[in-house]
Amino acid sequence: MNGQVYVIGPLKNLFDRKCMQLLTGPTLVSRRASSKFSLGAAVTILASMVVALLLGLFAVFLPWPILIPMVVAPVGLILAWIRPEIALVILVAASFGVIPEYLLPRLPVGGGTIRVEDVGVLVMIGIVLLRNGGGIRRAMKPIESYYWPIGAFILAAIVSAALAVGLHGVEQKNTFQELRPFVYWLWLPALCLAIRTEVQMRRFLFGIATVAVVTAGLLMFQSFTGYSVMTKGQAIRDLYTAGDHFRGVLRSTSPASFIILAVLMFLLSSFAYAPGSVRGPLLATLFLVLAGGILVGFGRGVWFSALLGVLLLGYFVRTSRYFGVVCFLVISAASGIALLSMVKPDYVSAAYDRVFSVGNELDYGKSFDRRRAENIAAVNAILDSPLLGVGLGKDYMPINSETTSWESGTRYIHNTYIGTLLKLGPFGLIALLWLVAVTITRLWSVTRRCSSALPIHFSALWAALAMMIFTAITQPNLLATPGVLTVCLAIFVSEWFRSRESAINER
């Protein structure tokens, strides 16, 4: 010791050289290295300045719908190659409107426009095909049971679109608008090819959960403040229920509502099946945020689906743990109602009226009248064209003040199954029923196994039931992009874990 520094073994010579450099100054070699470093830094700074100057010039002379894709596209391509699961989460957020549309401008093509998120799905498929090479068949194996029903459903849509344009002279933009949801079935192969490992799946599920929580928070922010952030879903407006306005109560909805509820079902089923996997304070906090996002949407179909999901969870758990879930829901709901009564008391009375006004809605509600008029007009159109349907994009509703108040008023229909028969004919309806039967049967059977992934399977099953059965008679779920994307996510996640469980059992 005594102030001396001891250097052991081969490090002594290195230590001596470093000491000499400190005493005598930098050597010739170090000066050359310093010069190289300075030259490289100067070149990097100069290149950055040139790039910044070019981007500035582009910003001046190019319109922003062209400039933003030029800047974002290279970054997106790199991210899609390195972290395809993260790129898919971003595309999910864009498709559900969590990323505002004004940040995702449409691309001008052939006199029309194409949504960036739609192009992103096609680009992702191309990238993941290149990444997988010869492992494509193995990657697609989890969804091979869905090839034929989905293929038949898409084929019926293509035939309907061709007949609508070629035989009935329907405007191409209207046909393409209604054909667009069928393109979203490409999400299934994109997901299978992009997410191959458990690490990727964990990142993806965490990303989807984050999207759900952020969406719920934004929905509450929009409803409580009146400021619009997300551009998809219904516009922020005063709540209207069976002829009564609730001034000051703003309804805020999102296409991601069922994703929010699917995450909520995952948390509840995790709490019931594996209580230690979710901590009580975290569960309560997430529950209040997610439930708040669902509340401000004031969607009775969504609320009804949530209630059925809680009841269905009891069927699969069948233990005393389910009683704990019920107690947790009662305590959390009571706490949330008490908190809301102090902050926004009008929301509590509006929610109460929304639930118990179903009878009045059937008697003189405007929403029910609209759906009844749609169904009557659809039946008449189906009788006029019973074999082929009217075709995608063709008008079927009579022209009046109600149907002309918005662009798709004469073509839109709420009921998924009547709409499919109307647009695609009986062949399309049979294909849809086939797809629904395959999906529900497979997800139900894997959930009944009560494996370690039961929360995943149950939330996927609930999402499929909600989109295909619970709300399908009041919303065009499988004829709209958010509904198709929700079902694709449910199918993929459940089938991915099912394939992993089967591979482990075979070992």
Side-chain angles (χ1 to χ4, degrees):
M1 304 297 178
N2 300 328
Q4 297 180 12
V5 178
Y6 292 90
V7 182
I8 301 174
L11 297 180
K12 185 176 185 303
N13 295 332
L14 176 63
F15 181 79
D16 292 341
R17 286 198 301 270
K18 294 296 181 183
C19 290
M20 290 300 296
Q21 288 181 10
L22 290 175
L23 294 173
T24 61
T27 61
L28 181 61
V29 176
S30 64
R31 289 194 185 98
R32 289 178 180 175
S34 177
S35 300
K36 290 181 180 179
F37 175 77
S38 301
L39 180 61
V43 171
T44 302
I45 294 174
L46 181 61
S48 300
M49 294 175 62
V50 173
V51 171
L53 177 62
L54 291 176
L55 290 177
L57 293 174
F58 287 156
V60 173
F61 295 104
L62 292 178
W64 67 271
I66 298 178
L67 178 63
I68 292 180
M70 288 179 59
V71 176
V72 174
V75 179
L77 291 174
I78 296 173
L79 180 63
W81 184 268
I82 299 176
R83 290 285 185 269
E85 67 278 8
I86 304 300
L88 285 174
V89 171
I90 295 174
L91 285 178
V92 168
S95 299
F96 283 125
V98 183
I99 301 176
E101 285 186 321
Y102 53 78
L103 296 179
L104 298 168
R106 301 184 181 186
L107 302 177
V109 175
T113 57
I114 300 178
R115 296 176 182 268
V116 175
E117 59 268 33
D118 298 349
V119 176
V121 178
L122 301 176
V123 172
M124 275 299 305
I125 289 179
I127 291 176
V128 294
L129 283 174
L130 292 175
R131 290 182 82 251
N132 281 276
I136 295 176
R137 177 174 295 182
R138 182 180 178 184
M140 297 287 290
K141 188 175 181 180
I143 62 169
E144 61 184 4
S145 299
Y146 300 87
Y147 288 169
W148 285 105
I150 292 178
F153 193 42
I154 294 176
L155 177 62
I158 294 174
V159 172
S160 175
L163 291 175
V165 175
L167 187 62
H168 302 296
V170 178
E171 291 187 34
Q172 292 184 7
K173 67 173 185 177
N174 295 338
T175 298
F176 289 152
Q177 182 180 1
E178 295 192 359
L179 187 62
R180 178 172 167 255
F182 296 90
V183 179
Y184 265 54
W185 288 107
L186 292 175
W187 268 90
L188 266 181
L191 290 165
C192 290
L193 293 171
I195 302 174
R196 303 292 301 276
T197 66
E198 293 182 2
V199 174
Q200 288 180 313
M201 177 57 82
R202 284 198 296 269
R203 290 179 186 147
F204 179 74
L205 292 179
F206 180 79
I208 295 299
T210 302
V211 169
V213 174
V214 170
T215 304
L218 290 176
L219 287 174
M220 288 190 290
F221 173 80
Q222 290 182 154
S223 181
F224 294 158
T225 65
Y227 292 101
S228 179
V229 179
M230 297 180 291
T231 51
K232 290 185 180 180
Q234 290 184 340
I236 300 175
R237 56 179 181 170
D238 288 330
L239 179 63
Y240 179 87
T241 301
D244 295 327
H245 275 87
F246 289 86
R247 299 294 181 183
V249 178
L250 299 178
R251 183 179 187 183
S252 178
T253 64
S254 169
S257 295
F258 287 95
I259 296 297
I260 296 174
L261 267 179
V263 174
L264 186 57
M265 291 298 162
F266 171 79
L267 293 174
L268 293 178
S269 55
S270 298
F271 182 71
Y273 187 73
S277 61
V278 183
R279 296 182 179 180
L282 176 62
L283 177 62
T285 302
L286 292 176
F287 175 82
L288 291 177
V289 173
L290 296 172
I294 295 301
L295 171 67
V296 298
F298 292 97
R300 282 176 292 213
V302 178
W303 295 352
F304 176 70
S305 299
L307 176 61
L308 292 179
V310 173
L311 297 177
L312 188 63
L313 179 60
Y315 170 80
F316 287 105
V317 175
R318 297 185 183 182
T319 64
S320 58
R321 295 173 182 172
Y322 180 71
F323 179 72
V325 173
V326 174
C327 292
F328 168 79
L329 287 174
V330 171
I331 295 173
S332 299
S335 302
I337 292 173
L339 179 62
L340 196 60
S341 299
M342 293 185 293
V343 180
K344 293 282 187 178
D346 292 340
Y347 277 74
V348 178
S349 58
Y352 176 86
D353 186 81
R354 188 75 175 166
V355 172
F356 294 100
S357 64
V358 176
N360 294 334
E361 186 71 39
L362 295 177
D363 292 335
Y364 57 88
K366 184 177 181 181
S367 178
F368 179 74
D369 285 343
R370 164 72 192 193
R371 286 169 169 80
R372 181 168 52 188
E374 288 176 356
N375 293 338
I376 293 174
V379 170
N380 293 332
I382 291 170
L383 294 176
D384 292 337
S385 183
L387 296 179
L388 301 177
V390 300
L392 292 175
K394 186 178 180 181
D395 299 329
Y396 77 98
M397 287 281 287
I399 298 176
N400 52 45
S401 59
E402 171 69 18
T403 57
T404 57
S405 60
W406 52 304
E407 182 183 1
S408 304
T410 56
R411 304 189 303 273
Y412 186 86
I413 184 169
H414 284 83
N415 191 303
T416 298
Y417 294 100
I418 296 179
T420 301
L421 181 60
L422 170 71
K423 304 285 185 176
L424 309 184
F427 176 74
L429 180 60
I430 292 172
L432 175 59
L433 294 174
W434 184 13
L435 173 59
V436 171
V438 171
T439 302
I440 301 302
T441 301
R442 289 187 60 83
L443 299 191
W444 186 282
S445 64
V446 74
T447 306
R448 286 191 62 183
R449 295 179 184 177
C450 292
S451 64
S452 59
L454 182 139
I456 290 287
H457 294 307
F458 176 77
S459 56
L461 172 63
W462 174 87
L465 286 171
M467 301 306 297
M468 292 180 159
I469 297 178
F470 296 161
T471 61
I473 62 173
T474 60
Q475 295 296 330
N477 294 330
L478 298 181
L479 301 177
T481 54
V484 174
L485 179 53
T486 301
V487 173
C488 286
L489 292 172
I491 291 174
F492 165 71
V493 171
S494 183
E495 295 292 349
W496 192 92
F497 278 91
R498 181 184 192 138
S499 65
R500 290 301 187 275
E501 293 166 359
S502 299
I504 293 175
N505 293 333
E506 291 175 358
R507 293 176 183 174

